[in-house]
Amino acid sequence: MREIHSSICRLCPAFCGIRVEVDDGRVVKVYGDKDNVNTHGYSCKKGRSLPEQHMHPNRLLHPLRKLPDGSQERTDVITALDEIAAKLREIIDRHGPRAVALYAGTMQMAIPAAINFYQSFMAKLGSPMVFHSGMLDQPGKPVAAALHGTWDAGMYPFDEADTWLVIGANPMISMWGPMYNPGAALNAAKARGRRFIVIDPRVTESAERADLHLQIKPGEDATLLAGIIRVILDENLHDKDFIAAEVDGLEELYRALAPYTVDYVAKRCDIPVDQILAAARMFASGKRSGVTAGTGPNMAGRGTLTEYLILALQSVCGQWVRAGEPVFQPFVLLPERRRKAQANPPVPGWGFGEPLRVRNLGSTAGGMPTAALADEILLSGEGQVKALIIVGGNPIVSWPDQLKAHEAMKSLDLLVSLDLKRTQTSKLADYIIPPPHHLEVEGCTQFCENLHIMGSGLFYQKPFAQYFSPVLPRPEGSDLIEEWEFFYELARRLGLELEVPTGAMVLGGEPYDPTPLDMTNRPTSEDVYRLLARNSRISIEEVKRYEHGHLFPAEGLTVEDKEPDWKGRLNIGDPVMIAELAEVAAELVEDPAATSFPFRLISRRMRDFMNSMGNDIAILARNGGFNPAFMNPEDIDRLGLANGDEVVIESERASIFGIVHAAADVRRGTISMAHGFGDTPEHDGRFREIGSPTGRLIDNAKDFDPYTGIPRMSAIPVRISSMPSGAVELSLVRQRVRTEA
Ligand SMILES: Nc1nc2c(c(=O)[nH]1)N[C@H]1C(S)=C(S)[C@@H](COP(=O)(O)OP(=O)(O)OC[C@H]3O[C@@H](n4cnc5c(=O)[nH]c(N)nc54)[C@H](O)[C@@H]3O)O[C@H]1N2
Ligand SMILES: Nc1nc2c(c(=O)[nH]1)N[C@H]1C(S)=C(S)[C@@H](COP(=O)(O)OP(=O)(O)OC[C@H]3O[C@@H](n4cnc5c(=O)[nH]c(N)nc54)[C@H](O)[C@@H]3O)O[C@H]1N2
Ligand code: SF4
Ligand SMILES: [Mo]
C-alpha cells in the first residue's frame, strides 16, 4: 500500500519541506513539498537520496562496543547504557565531573530534542565541558553581538529588504544565511529591483547572481569592512539620528578607521577602488539593508572583529527594524517574542566560568572553544578530559589539526559516539550508540526558530512551524535509542534529575524556565516536544493540524516604542575591537607569492555532500566521493600541472594529497577545497576514493582568534607540488604527530 507523508529534511540548514512516499513499509521516494509555505517545493539531491540513506547497508541497527584489539562487536542498548554509566561513574569518582566532556556536531540539528537533554545532563553531572560545532563554524557572531549589544527588534528579513550583502557565504549551495529556497528568493528579489552584493574570493553560484561581486583576497574581510564603513562616514552616508539616539563609540571607531583609506584597503584586499565605493554607497543607500557573513570570513582569521564590524556597519547605517513596523518573527513554538525599538546593551563576550588550561581560552558568549578540546584531552594533570560523548559529530574530519584530534580520540578512557554509522571518528569509539533514522523519529521546528541565537538574520525569519511524525517504523530486530532518551537513561543510571527548559536553546547563558522531568515514568518523544513547547505562542496541537506546516503571523503585533527611561545603547567602539583594528592596520602584509607557502587554501561547501556525509551514497558520489582541489587554470598552467593531476598540498603543519580540478571561478593564488573528507594518515592512499582531510593542514594553536579559539581554517598558507612516486609513504613520514598542547 502506498502512502505519502509530509516531513522536513534536516540534513542541512534549508530544512526543506518534503514528501515521503512509502510503499509497504519501505520508503520509495522523497521530493520537495510544494505545499510547504517556507520552501515551496524545493529539495536537493541530498534530501532526495533519503530513501537510499535510510536503507543504507552502513547504517548501524545495534550499538557497537570496542574490544581490546580495537575491533567493535555488537551489543545491546541496555548493556551499553549500563556499562557507559559505570565507566562514567568511575571516571568522575577518580577525576571529578570536569573529566567528562561532550561534543555536539552539526547533526544535532537533525534531532531537535537532543540539545535540551544533553545540556541538562551535563549541568546535573556538574561538568562545564560542553562543546559544539558552532564554535568551529561562525563563533565570531555571538561574541561580536555580546560586545556590540543587540537591537531588540532585530534586522529585516531578506524578503523585506531592498539591499543585501553576503560575505563569505554561498547560500545557493550551502543554504546558509537569510533566505530559504535561495534560488527562488534571489529571483523574486531581482524581479523587485533589489540589490545583492557578494564578497567572496570565488565567483560562487551566489556571486554569479550578484549585482556587485568583490573578489577579495582571502583573510582580508575585516580590512574591507573597515574601508567600507570609513567610506560611508567620509561621504556622510551614515544615519546620524539613529547614531545619536542609540549608538556609542562612533568617535573611537572613526579614529581607528584612519589608516583604512580606500586606496590602502583596495590594495590590501586586491579589489578595485570603484567596487569598494560602490558597495559602500549601495549598502548605505538601501532603505532596508542587511548583511550576513558565512563561514569563510569566520575561519580566515579575525572572525570576531569581522562580525563586530558587520554589526557596526548595520548600526552606522541604522539598518534595524523600527517602532511600528511588524514583528516579522514573533516565534511560534517558542514563547511569544515581543520586540521593542531599543538596544540591549553590550554584555561580556568571554571569561565565564572556569577557564580552560590552554591558550588563555575559556567559555564565551557562544560557548566553549571547541578548537581547544583536543588539547584538554591530551594535556595531563588536574582537569584533564578523560571521557567524551559525541552527539552527531565527526571530529576526525571536522576538527582543526586532525593529527592532534586523532591522538586525542585515541587517548581517551571512554569515547562514546551517538551516530548512525561507523565513521572516521566513531570507529575509534568504545561505544557507538545508533539512534533511529531521521525518517523514523518525530519532532518539530522549534529548534529551527531557536537557531536565531546563532546570529541576527539567520534561520527562520518568518513564523513558520511544522510538527512531523515518524514516517517509517524502526527496522525489524533493530535496537536503537533516540538521543534525548540516551541522556535520560544515562541520567537515571547515575541518579541525576534532569530538567528541560522551554525550548530556548542557550549557548553560553542560563536555560530559560527549567522544569524537572519525571525521572520515574519515561516520557514519550511526543511528551518531550509538548514539554519543550509548553509556553509556546501557538500550541503544539494547533501546529499539528497543518500537515505541510503553516505560517502563524501575529496579526497586528508591531515593534513597540523604546521604554521611556531606557538607557541601553549599542556600542561600535568596543576597546578590545578598536585595539584589534589598530593591530590589523599595523600588520605586515606579505605577498603570499613571495613566501614558501604561496597559496591560500580556502573553505567551501559542495552541493552533494553535507560536511562528512554523503560520500558513501551512490547517487551523491556519482562523480567521485572525494573533494577536488579546485584551482584557477592559470595557476595550474603556471605550476606546470594539468587538470586531474595528483598533487601534494602542504602547510607548515602537515600535508594531504589532492586532485587538481580546473575552475575559473577560483581566485588566482587560492585553492578551494571542502572539508569532511578523507581519514587519518594510514588511509591517505585512498584519496581518489575518499578524498583528503583539509583539517590536517591546520595548526590549532597558531593564528587563532584570542576570544573564541578558532584557528585559521580558511586562507591557510599552503604550497602545492606534483606527486612524487612513493608519496604516500613520504607523507606518513612528514606527519609525525605533535601532541604538545
Ligand atoms: N577545515 C575545515 N574544517 C571545518 C570546516 C571547514 O569549512 N573547513 N567547517 C566546520 C563546520 S562549519 C562544521 S559545522 C563542522 C562540522 O563538524 P561535525 O559536526 O563534527 O561533522 P559532521 O560531518 O557534520 O558530522 C555529523 C555526524 O552526524 C552523524 N549523523 C547523521 N544523522 C544523525 C542523527 O540523526 N543522529 C546522530 N546522533 N548522528 C547523526 C553523521 O553520520 C556524521 O558522522 O566542521 C567544521 N570543520
Ligand atoms: N551542500 C552543503 N550545504 C551545507 C553544508 C555542506 O557541507 N554542504 N554545510 C553546512 C554547514 S555546517 C554550514 S556552517 C553552512 C556554511 O555555509 P556557508 O558559510 O555559506 O558555506 P560555504 O558554501 O562554504 O561558503 C563559504 C564561502 O566563503 C568563501 N571564503 C573562504 N575564505 C574566505 C575569506 O577569507 N573571505 C571571504 N569573504 N570569503 C571566504 C568561500 O569561497 C565560500 O564561497 O553550510 C551548511 N550547508
Ligand atoms: S539537504 Fe537538500 S533537501 Fe535537505 S534540507 Fe538541505 S537543501 Fe533541503
Ligand atoms: Mo557548520
Side-chain angles (χ1 to χ4, degrees):
M1 206 194 58
R2 188 165 281 232
E3 305 155 31
I4 307 184
H5 303 263
S6 293
S7 189
I8 287 218
C9 176
R10 284 152 287 146
L11 287 174
C12 94
F15 301 122
C16 296
I18 48 171
R19 297 283 280 165
V20 186
E21 286 190 18
V22 178
D23 201 4
D24 267 340
R26 273 171 72 88
V27 53
V28 289
K29 201 171 171 191
V30 168
Y31 48 91
D33 182 356
K34 288 197 182 56
D35 297 315
N36 181 300
V37 289
N38 199 38
T39 53
H40 308 282
Y42 180 81
S43 68
C44 80
K45 237 197 224 172
K46 302 187 290 302
R48 293 193 297 271
S49 74
L50 275 166
E52 198 186 327
Q53 302 193 32
H54 178 254
M55 293 178 288
H56 202 279
N58 291 355
R59 198 188 140 191
L60 294 175
L61 299 179
H62 305 268
L64 296 181
R65 164 173 65 180
K66 190 156 87 182
L67 297 173
D69 70 357
S71 65
Q72 289 168 317
E73 65 164 10
R74 176 172 158 173
T75 180
D76 60 273
V77 167
I78 303 285
T79 308
L81 278 164
D82 289 343
E83 291 179 4
I84 294 167
K87 288 191 181 173
L88 284 175
R89 172 57 56 221
E90 210 181 289
I91 289 168
I92 293 166
D93 287 347
R94 285 187 52 192
H95 307 283
R98 196 181 189 277
V100 181
L102 181 138
Y103 168 65
T106 21
M107 273 301 117
Q108 63 171 320
M109 100 190 152
I111 39 182
I115 182 165
N116 308 92
F117 280 73
Y118 74 65
Q119 283 187 337
S120 178
F121 175 81
M122 293 298 284
K124 296 290 169 176
L125 202 66
S127 173
M129 303 299 270
V130 182
F131 298 77
H132 61 92
S133 55
M135 289 296 284
L136 297 176
D137 182 327
Q138 292 152 76
K141 281 191 162 68
V143 175
L147 303 182
H148 169 268
T150 51
W151 184 249
D152 195 60
M155 67 198 279
Y156 293 103
F158 181 80
D159 290 348
E160 305 290 334
D162 58 16
T163 311
W164 208 276
L165 168 61
V166 160
I167 309 177
N170 186 12
M172 286 298 294
I173 297 296
S174 69
M175 307 289 144
W176 179 264
M179 44 197 120
Y180 277 81
N181 190 345
L186 284 171
N187 286 345
K190 200 161 215 106
R192 277 175 280 168
R194 293 168 177 189
R195 299 166 307 177
F196 182 47
I197 313 166
V198 171
I199 299 174
D200 200 300
R202 235 189 91 213
V203 189
T204 60
E205 295 76 356
S206 307
E208 274 172 0
R209 288 162 162 263
D211 299 289
L212 181 61
H213 172 216
L214 283 61
Q215 200 171 1
I216 191 171
K217 179 176 157 201
E220 291 293 357
D221 297 277
T223 311
L224 178 56
L225 280 159
I228 288 176
I229 298 173
R230 198 184 140 160
V231 170
I232 289 171
L233 295 172
D234 281 343
E235 297 195 355
N236 226 359
L237 304 174
H238 51 300
D239 185 336
K240 286 152 237 62
D241 295 341
F242 183 81
I243 296 175
E246 310 291 354
V247 183
D248 287 333
L250 179 65
E251 272 173 39
E252 291 85 339
L253 177 65
Y254 190 62
R255 228 177 294 130
L257 294 178
Y260 295 92
T261 62
V262 72
D263 292 319
Y264 170 79
V265 170
K267 185 152 178 275
R268 192 163 159 174
C269 301
D270 194 20
I271 299 173
V273 166
D274 288 353
Q275 287 190 0
I276 300 173
L277 296 175
R281 290 168 189 160
M282 206 183 265
F283 185 83
S285 65
K287 288 201 170 53
R288 289 174 164 190
S289 302
V291 199
T292 29
T295 46
N298 272 275
M299 292 180 180
R302 312 244 179 235
T304 305
L305 178 63
T306 303
E307 291 287 353
Y308 185 78
L309 292 173
I310 286 172
L311 295 172
L313 173 63
Q314 294 259 154
S315 288
V316 160
C317 297
Q319 293 293 0
W320 300 110
V321 177
R322 304 302 177 89
E325 294 192 287
V327 174
F328 295 108
Q329 171 52 302
F331 291 150
V332 184
L333 287 168
L334 291 175
E336 179 174 89
R337 189 182 202 182
R338 298 198 155 259
R339 310 266 211 153
K340 294 192 173 123
Q342 66 189 32
N344 301 311
V347 291
W350 52 81
F352 309 108
E354 205 185 312
L356 291 186
R357 297 172 305 152
V358 294
R359 302 196 276 287
N360 273 325
L361 295 167
S363 194
T364 72
M368 285 287 213
T370 302
L373 180 49
D375 300 281
E376 291 288 329
I377 294 170
L378 289 169
L379 185 66
S380 55
E382 180 140 2
Q384 183 176 15
V385 170
K386 299 280 188 182
L388 177 66
I389 305 175
I390 301 175
V391 188
N394 193 356
I396 291 289
V397 287
S398 68
W399 285 6
D401 216 326
Q402 184 200 46
L403 301 176
K404 203 187 254 184
H406 188 205
E407 276 310 292
M409 294 302 137
K410 287 190 295 186
S411 75
L412 286 160
D413 290 352
L414 176 66
L415 175 60
V416 179
S417 172
L418 275 61
D419 205 299
L420 296 176
K421 290 181 176 173
R422 278 186 93 227
T423 67
Q424 295 93 330
T425 306
S426 66
K427 70 182 180 195
L428 305 172
D430 297 293
Y431 295 88
I432 311 181
I433 309 294
H437 183 265
H438 303 193
L439 296 175
E440 294 160 6
V441 293
E442 63 196 324
C444 62
T445 52
Q446 186 192 49
F447 184 78
C448 316
E449 294 182 39
N450 236 335
L451 284 167
H452 74 96
I453 46 127
M454 290 278 296
S456 201
L458 295 174
F459 296 98
Y460 282 7
Q461 306 289 299
K462 292 181 194 156
F464 176 83
Q466 186 166 346
Y467 194 95
F468 42 90
S469 302
V471 171
L472 296 159
R474 298 180 187 189
E476 224 169 285
S478 63
D479 189 13
L480 308 168
I481 183 165
E482 276 191 63
E483 292 79 357
W484 71 262
E485 222 177 336
F486 171 82
F487 289 102
Y488 180 87
E489 285 300 329
L490 211 51
R492 283 222 281 210
R493 283 164 175 77
L494 291 167
L496 308 175
E497 307 257 325
L498 299 189
E499 292 176 337
V500 286
T502 304
M505 169 167 120
V506 279
L507 291 171
E510 293 297 312
Y512 179 69
D513 184 26
T515 294
L517 268 173
D518 182 343
M519 297 303 292
T520 319
N521 307 299
R522 175 158 70 179
T524 62
S525 299
E526 202 179 344
D527 295 337
V528 164
Y529 288 107
R530 203 170 286 123
L531 196 61
L532 289 172
R534 62 191 176 278
N535 298 327
S536 59
R537 182 170 72 84
I538 306 289
S539 74
I540 222 159
E541 275 63 36
E542 176 67 11
V543 172
K544 273 187 180 174
R545 288 181 46 221
Y546 299 90
E547 188 197 344
H548 308 276
H550 192 65
L551 283 170
F552 297 89
E555 297 299 349
L557 185 69
T558 53
V559 172
E560 293 164 27
D561 287 332
K562 176 153 96 171
E563 289 167 35
D565 47 0
W566 187 254
K567 297 275 185 307
R569 289 170 71 85
L570 303 170
N571 184 11
I572 58 174
D574 177 83
V576 177
M577 293 291 105
I578 295 295
E580 204 176 323
L581 266 176
E583 228 173 80
V584 174
E587 264 167 12
L588 194 72
V589 187
E590 288 180 311
D591 174 8
T595 70
S596 50
F597 296 99
F599 283 87
R600 296 287 174 266
L601 189 138
I602 56 172
S603 59
R604 72 174 295 139
R605 264 87 195 131
M606 296 206 293
R607 193 188 292 274
D608 294 342
F609 303 100
M610 168 65 195
N611 294 349
S612 68
M613 290 162 280
N615 71 352
D616 61 350
I617 309 292
I619 338 170
L620 301 180
R622 208 162 19 203
N623 301 321
F626 65 98
N627 49 342
F630 294 99
M631 290 179 69
N632 190 289
E634 285 181 28
D635 284 337
I636 298 178
D637 269 359
R638 203 161 43 82
L639 293 173
L641 296 168
N643 192 28
D645 272 4
E646 294 174 357
V647 291
V648 180
I649 302 168
E650 208 179 338
S651 70
E652 212 170 36
R653 176 77 177 93
S655 60
I656 56 173
F657 300 135
I659 301 173
V660 168
H661 271 222
D665 52 65
V666 177
R667 194 183 196 283
R668 279 193 308 275
T670 66
I671 301 173
S672 167
M673 205 165 166
H675 76 292
F677 288 79
D679 203 328
T680 46
E682 61 274 26
H683 301 278
D684 278 2
R686 294 165 59 213
F687 71 104
R688 293 173 206 87
E689 187 196 325
I690 61 170
S692 299
T694 56
R696 193 187 299 161
L697 301 171
I698 302 165
D699 187 334
N700 75 337
K702 238 190 105 186
D703 276 351
F704 60 92
D705 183 275
Y707 330 106
T708 65
I710 190 174
R712 186 177 284 268
M713 293 171 47
S714 185
I716 309 165
V718 294
R719 62 174 161 240
I720 182 161
S721 49
S722 55
M723 188 110 132
S725 56
V728 174
E729 297 74 32
L730 192 97
S731 109
L732 272 177
V733 174
R734 256 195 54 74
Q735 283 155 13
R736 261 174 308 129
V737 176
R738 273 191 337 204
T739 56
E740 77 280 15

